[in-house]
Amino acid sequence: MKLKLLQILLVSAAFGWAISIYGVFCSWDSALVQLKGLGADAIPDDPMLDYWLRMAAGAFTGIGVFCMVLAINPKKYSAVIPFAGLFLIIEGIILLVHGIRLGLEPIPFYFDVTFCLATGTGIWLLRHEAAALKQGKQGDTAGDREACL
């Protein structure tokens, strides 16, 4: 059960990040409409900003693909899962600090922070489940068995 929850959190993280693939392929005008819909002020038509959008969208999509790989085969990648959880927690803290510093509107700021902190904390707390499966324990430790007796 805990392993399935870990996988659900990893898949959630995967989709939350990989949705950025839209930014890789959309037109600049479409990107401006989406960014303004998320609360951005007027954005100049600047080729460098267009380039940075594609760079960030590509990197975010890569993080999503990485999380999906972990979700598909958590046993194989059990040693990396804690780092994914820590990354999301650290990213959530970065977003929180700078969102407050910049005085951002609640949407999407609160959602982004909550998403990173919730998925990251969940993955971190369940990080040992895939390793337990790898060792043949399937998420059931001796301590859990003794506590039930």
Side-chain angles (χ1 to χ4, degrees):
M1 177 66 180
K2 289 180 182 179
L3 181 63
K4 286 295 177 197
L5 181 55
L6 173 63
Q7 288 178 298
I8 289 168
L9 288 166
L10 287 166
V11 167
S12 297
F15 281 108
W17 285 93
I19 196 170
S20 296
I21 196 164
Y22 174 77
V24 173
F25 298 107
C26 71
S27 68
W28 177 246
D29 290 336
S30 178
L32 291 178
V33 169
Q34 296 301 317
L35 291 169
K36 287 177 185 176
L38 292 171
D41 291 331
I43 300 171
D45 188 16
D46 184 333
M48 200 66 205
L49 293 177
D50 189 331
Y51 172 78
W52 285 332
L53 168 72
R54 311 318 166 152
M55 181 175 58
F60 294 170
T61 301
I63 293 167
V65 170
F66 174 71
C67 289
M68 186 59 78
V69 168
L70 296 180
I72 290 170
N73 197 346
K75 180 179 170 183
K76 182 175 180 180
Y77 300 107
S78 62
V80 182
I81 289 173
F83 296 106
L86 280 177
F87 167 78
L88 288 166
I89 292 168
I90 292 167
E91 181 64 18
I93 293 167
I94 290 168
L95 294 174
L96 178 63
V97 167
H98 291 287
I100 291 169
R101 179 183 68 83
L102 295 168
L104 296 181
E105 294 293 320
I107 303 296
F109 164 56
Y110 291 177
F111 177 77
D112 292 338
V113 170
T114 302
F115 176 79
C116 286
L117 292 177
T119 56
T121 300
I123 291 166
W124 176 257
L125 292 174
L126 296 168
R127 68 191 182 278
H128 298 296
E129 294 305 312
L133 176 66
K134 192 172 189 175
Q135 296 171 357
K137 296 178 184 177
Q138 297 184 358
D140 183 29
T141 64
D144 291 339
R145 285 191 299 268
E146 290 171 10
C148 292
L149 298 176

